[in-house]
Amino acid sequence: MDVFAGFHGRVLAAVQQLKHDGVVPHEASLDGITLEPPKDAFHGDLATNAAMVLAKAAGVPPRQLAERIVPLLASDPHIDKVEIAGPGFINLSLAPAFWPSVLRMVLEQGDAYGRSAFGEGEAVNVEYVSANPTGPMHVGHCRGAVFGDALANLLAFVGYAVTREYYVNDAGAQVDALARSVFLRYREALGEDIGEIPEGLYPGDYLKPVGETLAANHGRALLDAPESEWLPITRSAALKAMLVMIEDDLDQLGIHLDVFFSERALIDGAHDEVAETIAELKAKGLIYQGRLPPPKGKIDEEWEDREQLLFRSTEFGDDQDRPLVKPDGGYTYFASDIAYHRDKFRRGFRSMIDVWGADHSGHIKRMQAALAALTEGKAHLDIKICQLVRLFRAGEPVKMSKRAGTFVTLRELVDEVGAGPVRFMMLYRKNDAPLDFDFTKVTEQSRDNPVFYVQYAHARASSVLRQVGETFPDLGTESTELIRADLDRLNDPAEIAVIRRLAQFPRVVEAAAQTHEPHRISFYLFDLAADFHGLWNRGKDLPQLRFIYEDDRELTRARVALVAATRRVLALGLGILGVHALHELH
RNA sequence: GACCUCGUAGCUCAGUUGGAUAGAGCACCAGAUUCCUAAUCUGGGGGUCGCAGGUUCGAAUCCUGCCGGGGUCACCA
């Protein structure tokens, strides 16, 4: 919970009092009233805009209204000073005793600190990765995978019931191409010279073992069989192998999904869910046979004007109606994607999040249109777009070409720099902004490598907790013991700065969860690390400011409490990002 | 042409859902430091928040129109 929530209540109570006194009209809305730590500590510990928000309704200038609010707040024993500033802000300075109470709360709550019931146990489906199951994962998939996973962690942290889901696109032409590629490898395994892999098929060596397994299991039986017979067999073998490989790749990054949802199962199951979905939309009058205008601004020679089965997505804000059936009679990707989201809805999810690559951003409107149509607005779908990742090595761009086989796989990336740095860097940028990833930089031990900087703070904190026993052997470092320390003795500005930062953690977490922006956690951790390093550095110049101060056992204990709390919050934040906190660096 | 997205310090980017004097890191400048709590520290300069309007107590943030970069644009996934 937010450590400042109580003060927000005080402000609202003060305003209620003013309503009661007739200063503020009863119907005035209190929604816009905030109470937040100001950016600049010069403005106190907390600031509220209450007077400015209510001034108009009350017909009184903001500062004058603030004069009425101030005495109502000043009586609070935890509030030291109340000042009116600027256009009508009310700035609160908290009693010195407040900060130790925050620290005590962190220690008491332990791993529960920052968690909340915000999500109220609501079921949320987070769909991410969803790479084509046709080969190993490469860096292009990596960002979305990490982002989705961290977002799922974050939502779980604030009390949502999260399902992590991977949509397996195993129904399209791509997987048939995969199956044919595997069939070649099967013939190869039986001793045939297959020559060059033809254009349009998958040339990668990773399919060889799949061919070999087929050869071992089926012998030469498939060689003379018609395609209609061997294709399903090779396809299912290939898909199985690819999913094992993908799951293994994801495992390298610490990603474990709850559900792998097969696109094919939508059609091949007991009933054709796509047909059902289309029928449902048809019943709503949203399906028709029609023609689409050719794309403007570019001349497409291949364009042919023809009638197709269309969904009226324009009625829900899309730019164009969208086709559901291909010329060959099969469903379009969009059609099965609608059925897939309908399936999620029928499984009970009213809240869904999809993580997509930037190249799919043009599909957002149609998907939301379809879901709105099917669920009559009862479901909420947020689609998060992850921008490209550009790879660098010591500042130089890494050239990648899929055709030349020089694209970097996720596995290579993780093998070289480690899962933690990969995850942290992927989250050290807003999801919809492009990201530069430098192999050299993420392993550098310097301040401009945020991964190192945050881990180093955690390692330093761990080191203090390890070493304090050498000076004070009987000084326990468990929370239950540290909580009894005389925390009022922490009054150095750098110490207070760290506590203030710790106090912000719950609201940062909540804001990140609400906006679906895990990067806010990364930036918070960097700031917390900076505060902690700042405190550490003061001890370099002034030995009496060191955490372990041999002349004063009780002061040491109070400081160790601060260190333990900082370490806890660093670990919690890293945990949300899915990064393992390090106890020492090498 | 349409839609989406971005535009903030020399560079890379944050910006608490509309708050006060717009912040970090690198780079630059000036000092400190050889310390073992190694993997630096302190301070400083640097800004038309792309441009122009609008909304209001208050705009980098919301609305409109331009300018510029990127992405997408029947059927593939």
Side-chain angles (χ1 to χ4, degrees):
Chain A
M1 73 163 265
D2 187 336
V3 297
F4 300 124
F7 294 106
H8 192 245
R10 288 300 303 228
V11 171
L12 292 181
V15 172
Q16 286 298 348
Q17 181 65 44
L18 291 187
K19 281 192 176 181
H20 185 259
D21 295 347
V23 179
V24 174
H26 277 279
E27 62 275 14
S29 166
L30 308 185
D31 292 346
I33 297 177
T34 59
L35 181 74
E36 323 181 296
K39 278 184 282 195
D40 191 339
F42 178 76
H43 294 118
D45 299 312
L46 290 169
T48 179
N49 60 356
M52 291 181 292
V53 171
L54 297 171
K56 196 165 198 179
V60 179
R63 292 187 65 107
Q64 202 175 318
L65 188 58
E67 298 283 357
R68 303 291 301 261
I69 299 175
V70 168
L72 297 171
L73 296 174
S75 57
D76 190 307
H78 290 106
I79 297 175
D80 230 19
K81 197 168 64 175
V82 186
E83 284 176 329
I84 301 169
F89 284 102
I90 300 172
N91 294 336
L92 310 180
S93 298
L94 301 179
F98 175 74
W99 298 113
S101 77
V102 171
L103 202 49
R104 212 165 284 128
M105 190 186 297
V106 178
L107 293 170
E108 258 167 26
Q109 298 190 354
D111 282 339
Y113 181 64
R115 287 184 189 268
S116 67
F118 180 75
E120 297 177 325
E122 188 189 349
V124 183
N125 185 290
V126 185
E127 180 208 328
Y128 55 106
V129 194
S130 298
N132 268 350
T134 54
M137 299 193 56
H138 53 86
V139 283
H141 304 118
C142 180
R143 187 173 184 186
V146 170
F147 175 85
D149 198 55
L151 178 55
N153 289 346
L154 176 59
L155 293 174
F157 195 77
V158 298
Y160 287 94
V162 180
T163 298
R164 300 149 193 265
E165 192 152 323
Y166 183 135
Y167 183 43
V168 185
N169 301 134
D170 52 7
Q174 297 302 316
V175 287
D176 286 346
L178 178 77
R180 294 198 175 87
S181 315
V182 164
F183 189 64
L184 280 180
R185 295 301 187 186
Y186 160 73
R187 284 162 52 192
E188 186 181 40
L190 292 172
E192 246 182 82
D193 179 8
I194 57 166
E196 285 275 298
I197 304 286
E199 188 79 11
L201 296 190
Y202 294 90
D205 285 348
Y206 59 88
L207 294 178
K208 283 183 181 172
V210 189
E212 283 157 15
T213 307
L214 276 172
N217 291 345
H218 295 270
R220 307 183 67 84
L222 301 180
L223 278 182
D224 301 319
E227 182 179 294
S228 61
E229 214 167 283
W230 61 253
L231 190 76
I233 295 172
T234 53
R235 185 170 59 207
S236 120
L239 280 171
K240 211 170 149 190
M242 293 305 101
L243 282 176
V244 167
M245 190 168 69
I246 287 169
E247 275 192 77
D248 203 41
D249 283 352
L250 289 170
D251 181 61
Q252 300 290 305
L253 270 177
I255 297 175
H256 304 278
L257 292 121
D258 302 312
V259 177
F260 283 80
F261 192 97
S262 159
E263 178 184 1
R264 187 168 288 277
L266 286 169
I267 314 163
D268 285 357
H271 35 221
D272 183 339
E273 286 197 46
V274 183
E276 283 180 5
T277 304
I278 293 175
E280 221 174 287
L281 290 169
K282 195 163 196 170
K284 293 175 192 283
L286 296 169
I287 302 288
Y288 68 105
Q289 285 283 341
R291 294 169 188 280
L292 287 176
K296 290 181 177 137
K298 71 166 192 182
I299 298 133
D300 189 340
E301 302 291 339
E302 314 251 316
W303 173 267
E304 48 177 305
D305 188 25
R306 63 162 181 272
E307 280 219 327
Q308 31 192 354
L309 192 70
L310 299 172
F311 163 58
R312 285 188 202 281
S313 50
T314 45
E315 285 201 8
F316 301 85
D318 198 3
D319 314 307
Q320 204 173 73
D321 291 338
R322 304 292 172 179
L324 299 173
V325 176
K326 295 189 282 187
D328 70 4
Y331 298 121
T332 61
Y333 177 76
F334 179 50
S336 40
D337 214 11
I338 303 176
Y340 173 45
H341 283 80
R342 171 177 171 273
D343 189 277
K344 288 186 195 173
F345 184 70
R346 289 161 69 96
R347 278 186 276 147
F349 294 106
R350 295 296 173 270
S351 183
M352 311 175 194
I353 301 172
D354 289 1
V355 180
W356 293 358
D359 53 341
H360 286 56
S361 60
H363 296 236
I364 295 178
K365 279 188 185 174
R366 73 191 69 165
M367 194 61 245
Q368 286 182 327
L371 194 66
L374 274 173
T375 67
E376 285 159 5
K378 291 196 191 80
H380 184 261
L381 169 65
D382 188 17
I383 298 175
K384 303 297 280 186
I385 290 298
C386 284
Q387 271 291 351
L388 293 178
V389 177
R390 291 177 302 194
L391 292 182
F392 291 82
R393 194 177 288 281
E396 292 297 315
V398 176
K399 291 207 176 81
M400 283 196 289
S401 155
K402 219 168 185 177
R403 210 179 39 209
T406 56
F407 65 89
V408 178
T409 64
L410 185 147
R411 182 168 290 269
E412 289 165 336
L413 186 68
V414 173
D415 282 351
E416 181 167 337
V417 303
V422 168
R423 290 190 65 121
F424 193 96
M425 284 312 293
M426 293 289 163
L427 296 165
Y428 197 63
R429 194 59 84 235
K430 212 166 23 185
N431 58 287
D432 51 10
L435 182 151
D436 292 347
F437 184 97
D438 195 313
F439 282 95
T440 317
K441 196 168 158 183
V442 297
T443 49
E444 225 167 61
Q445 300 198 336
S446 70
R447 183 168 185 160
D448 62 318
N449 175 10
V451 189
F452 163 76
Y453 197 66
V454 172
Q455 287 285 18
Y456 187 35
H458 186 269
R460 272 181 159 173
S462 301
S463 155
V464 170
L465 297 178
R466 276 195 308 270
Q467 286 175 18
V468 68
E470 290 174 20
T471 312
F472 300 107
D474 57 335
L475 193 148
T477 57
E478 293 302 312
S479 294
T480 46
E481 299 169 80
L482 293 174
I483 219 164
R484 295 198 302 269
D486 185 6
L487 301 176
D488 293 333
R489 296 195 59 192
L490 300 172
N491 48 28
D492 184 81
E495 289 169 339
I496 300 298
V498 173
I499 301 178
R500 288 171 68 102
R501 188 76 67 184
L502 296 176
Q504 287 169 9
F505 183 64
R507 50 184 305 132
V508 169
V509 167
E510 194 170 304
Q514 206 167 352
T515 54
H516 300 163
E517 290 181 344
H519 76 275
R520 293 177 187 233
I521 306 291
S522 318
F523 283 93
Y524 170 81
L525 290 175
F526 184 83
D527 289 340
L528 176 58
D531 290 334
F532 184 69
H533 287 308
L535 186 52
W536 182 286
N537 289 328
R538 289 188 52 119
K540 282 173 100 169
D541 295 335
L542 306 166
Q544 66 273 26
L545 278 177
R546 293 189 176 189
F547 298 120
I548 302 170
Y549 184 39
E550 48 192 40
D551 293 353
D552 194 333
R553 187 177 184 279
E554 281 315 299
L555 185 54
T556 297
R557 185 142 82 139
R559 285 179 179 160
V560 168
L562 177 59
V563 171
T566 304
R567 188 176 77 130
R568 172 82 68 179
V569 173
L570 286 169
L572 283 172
L574 286 170
I576 291 171
L577 303 182
V579 178
H580 193 66
L582 301 174
H583 294 276
E584 50 189 334
L585 304 180
H586 301 284

